Amino acid sequence: KLKACGVDAAGGRADIADAAQVKRAIADVSTSLGPIDTLINNAGVWEPNPLPDSPLHLFDRHIDINVKGTFYVTQACLPAMLEQGNGVIVNIASVSGTAGRAGDSAYSSSKAAVVMLTKTLAAELGPKGIRVNCIAPGAVATPLTAELRTPEGEAAIAELMASHPGPNSRFFIDPEDIADIVLFLCSSASRAIH
């Protein structure tokens, strides 16, 4: 679709929890399109894991994809950004990573790690010309939240809405709302935001 709109594009597949696959994928994209100067870390998983019955593999999966994946992709993209002396990285975290949520210890912990990784990288890479920011949205209407957007999920949504500010606030925001913020953070209009 992007090529049909006149945009140079390349794609590939990689398990972002596998550092070697990520490195190969970034090398392939860089060969096709040139050095990467903008990175959006948006891949993630969510599955409730109330304790004490949560299987350990759920915690590992959240850490492997949400945290390590963000780290691996960033690490693979950084050499080109450092060589150019500029770049933009936007990580997608979650409000659950700043406030926590009952029954979501794996997800909340992983997104809290993404928030701290962002802050650390902003401090480390800012002086080298690379801006690093993070967005921590609430619930976004994506396939990840589809099972909550059903009649069965209404009670849970009503409970969560009770803690949402303002009479006009929406609990589920559209992916386009996040895209607008990402575009702003990638543009020169946000050059002073780290």
Side-chain angles (χ1 to χ4, degrees):
K1 284 184 172 183
L2 292 173
K3 287 185 177 185
C5 296
V7 175
D8 284 340
R13 292 182 66 121
D15 176 355
I16 66 166
D18 182 320
Q21 284 189 41
V22 167
K23 192 172 183 178
R24 280 192 302 274
I26 297 302
D28 291 346
V29 169
S30 298
T31 299
S32 297
L33 298 176
I36 293 171
D37 59 6
T38 304
L39 168 62
I40 316 311
N41 281 306
N42 187 44
V45 295
W46 167 75
E47 190 171 341
N49 70 314
L51 294 176
D53 300 323
S54 176
L56 294 178
H57 78 272
L58 276 184
F59 192 86
D60 291 340
R61 183 168 193 267
H62 282 82
I63 297 301
D64 288 346
I65 293 171
N66 297 352
V67 183
K68 290 181 178 180
T70 298
F71 181 86
Y72 295 155
V73 176
T74 301
Q75 187 176 44
C77 291
L78 271 178
M81 292 183 186
L82 290 168
E83 187 175 322
Q84 297 169 104
N86 67 51
V88 176
I89 299 169
V90 178
N91 296 327
I92 308 298
S94 170
V95 71
S96 294
T98 61
R101 229 182 76 159
D104 280 342
S105 61
Y107 181 76
S108 294
S109 297
S110 70
K111 291 302 187 174
V114 170
V115 171
M116 188 50 66
L117 178 62
T118 302
K119 290 179 179 185
T120 302
L121 291 176
E124 181 178 335
L125 300 173
K128 298 173 182 178
I130 300 167
R131 292 187 295 111
V132 186
N133 286 290
C134 183
I135 301 170
V140 182
T142 66
L144 195 67
T145 60
E147 64 185 55
L148 291 176
R149 292 179 282 118
T150 63
E152 294 78 27
E154 285 181 8
I157 292 169
E159 183 181 327
L160 291 168
M161 283 299 288
S163 65
H164 244 258
N168 298 321
S169 61
R170 293 179 296 147
F171 184 72
F172 282 102
I173 60 175
D174 296 321
E176 293 80 9
D177 296 327
I178 303 302
D180 288 341
I181 299 168
V182 169
L183 289 171
F184 169 73
L185 289 174
C186 292
S187 76
S188 61
S190 67
R191 64 190 170 274
I193 299 175
H194 297 269

